[in-house]
Amino acid sequence: MTSPTIGSLRVDGATLHYEVRGSGPLLLLIPGGTGGAASFDGVAGDLAAEYTVVSYDPRGMSGSTLDDPEAEQRVEQHADDAFRLLELLSPDAPARVAGCSSGAIVALHLLTAHPERVGRVVAHEPPMVEVLPDAAEHRAMLARVQDTLRQEGLMPAAAVFAAGLSRPGAAPAAPPADPQAAIAELPPEARARVERTMANMPYFLGRIVPSFMAYTPDVDRLAALSDRLVLAGGADSRGELPYRPAAFLAERFGTELVHFPGGHTGLSTHPAEFGELLRKVLTHP
């Protein structure tokens, strides 16, 4: 895969690290979780045959540094970061945007705040629990995650969070007996990805999760813009919490819920198939 061109952009309170590949109309990829720009490495090269593909580390993660490491994180500000990238790299034409997980929440806010700058949005499993009829139950789960983080530390909190995202009745995944040994046995690229994930996890779980999963979108405005919105879920994640908001909104808007290969992390587990379907839905209504 061709190496990306690396850039940095000063925004309010942070410096963003971004990567550019290819040529053509701009496609902005907004990562979720802890992966940053690298989470799109498996799809960006192929997409760059048709698009100028831009991926980036969200503020506070990996190469995108915060002026104030303790600053509150808000969906609106992260969406403004994405807008600033569009203004820099596609000032004269609307862009296509794809976001996964927390990045999908950012993409949806970007669409409602700056619809003139966005031609099409693909939102894969945005975990916006506030749109769900049982939101109170999930608020309580998120409060337990933060309590566990404060009282017991990162890994117990991550276990509570993972259990809360699972479909009801699912057995929790057993952690490896020796996590460090398991990481050491991975190939170099996979090991680097896991190490990066672990480095970003305290910030993600402590600062991004509580703010982003409390976000309430402007559902009426999204409905009015639904002709340029693709709501997506994982084929293997039906019933899991991150899947449900996209399914709920697609039903409310009377639009199709597009199923991507794999589950919530299908981008990583099925990159070739995920990228091919992403290319198709970006091109065709």
Side-chain angles (χ1 to χ4, degrees), residues 9 63 79 105 114 129 132 256 259 265 270-271:
L9 174 65
I105 299 176
H114 300 284
V129 300
L132 298 175
E256 177 189 6
H259 284 95
T265 59
H270 298 70

Side-chain angles (χ1 to χ4, degrees), residues 125-129 132 134 138 141-142 161 164-168 213 237-246 264:
E125 296 204 356
M128 302 181 299
V129 300
L132 298 175
D134 55 351
H138 307 302
M141 179 272 291
L142 293 168
F161 184 56
L165 300 184
S166 300
R167 64 175 58 87
M213 292 184 71
S237 53
R238 290 174 173 87
E240 296 177 3
L241 181 57
Y243 174 97
R244 292 180 54 213
H264 188 63

Side-chain angles (χ1 to χ4, degrees), residues 29-277:
L29 301 176
I30 306 180
T34 59
S39 62
F40 288 105
D41 283 352
V43 303
D46 289 342
L47 291 168
E50 296 183 36
Y51 299 102
T52 298
V53 178
V54 179
S55 53
Y56 68 103
D57 296 334
R59 61 168 59 215
M61 293 213 186
S62 298
S64 291
T65 55
L66 294 170
D67 296 352
D68 174 8
E70 302 303 317
E72 178 187 359
Q73 298 305 305
R74 297 180 296 108
V75 170
E76 295 83 357
Q77 190 164 45
H78 282 247
D80 189 68
D81 292 345
F83 170 69
R84 301 297 168 187
L85 285 166
L86 296 186
E87 289 288 277
L88 174 68
L89 299 169
S90 184
D92 300 320
R96 294 170 174 85
V97 177
C100 295
S101 192
S102 55
I105 299 176
V106 174
L108 291 173
H109 189 84
L110 176 64
L111 175 61
T112 59
H114 300 284
E116 75 286 353
R117 301 297 289 115
V118 180
R120 194 160 183 77
V121 168
V122 180
H124 184 269
E125 296 204 356
M128 302 181 299
V129 300
E130 290 299 323
V131 305
L132 298 175
D134 55 351
E137 174 184 332
H138 307 302
R139 280 186 223 119
M141 179 272 291
L142 293 168
R144 288 195 300 275
V145 171
Q146 295 307 306
D147 287 344
T148 305
L149 185 61
R150 286 189 293 269
Q151 296 170 16
E152 301 179 41
L154 179 63
M155 297 314 293
V160 173
F161 184 56
L165 300 184
S166 300
R167 64 175 58 87
D178 186 344
Q180 292 303 320
I183 292 171
E185 293 175 359
L186 294 171
E189 286 188 7
R191 184 166 63 247
R193 184 164 57 247
V194 171
E195 290 172 347
R196 185 170 55 246
T197 293
M198 294 308 298
N200 286 330
M201 183 64 76
Y203 171 78
F204 173 72
L205 202 59
R207 312 300 286 280
I208 298 298
V209 165
S211 174
F212 279 46
M213 292 184 71
Y215 169 78
T216 303
D218 186 335
V219 174
D220 290 338
R221 187 155 175 77
L222 282 176
L225 296 165
S226 61
D227 61 331
R228 66 181 85 172
L229 172 61
V230 177
L231 290 161
D236 299 337
S237 53
R238 290 174 173 87
E240 296 177 3
L241 181 57
Y243 174 97
R244 292 180 54 213
F248 179 86
L249 291 177
E251 182 176 2
R252 175 162 175 171
F253 299 162
T255 59
E256 177 189 6
L257 179 69
V258 177
H259 284 95
F260 276 70
H264 188 63
T265 59
L267 174 66
S268 298
T269 60
H270 298 70
E273 299 93 336
F274 194 102
E276 177 59 22
L277 182 54

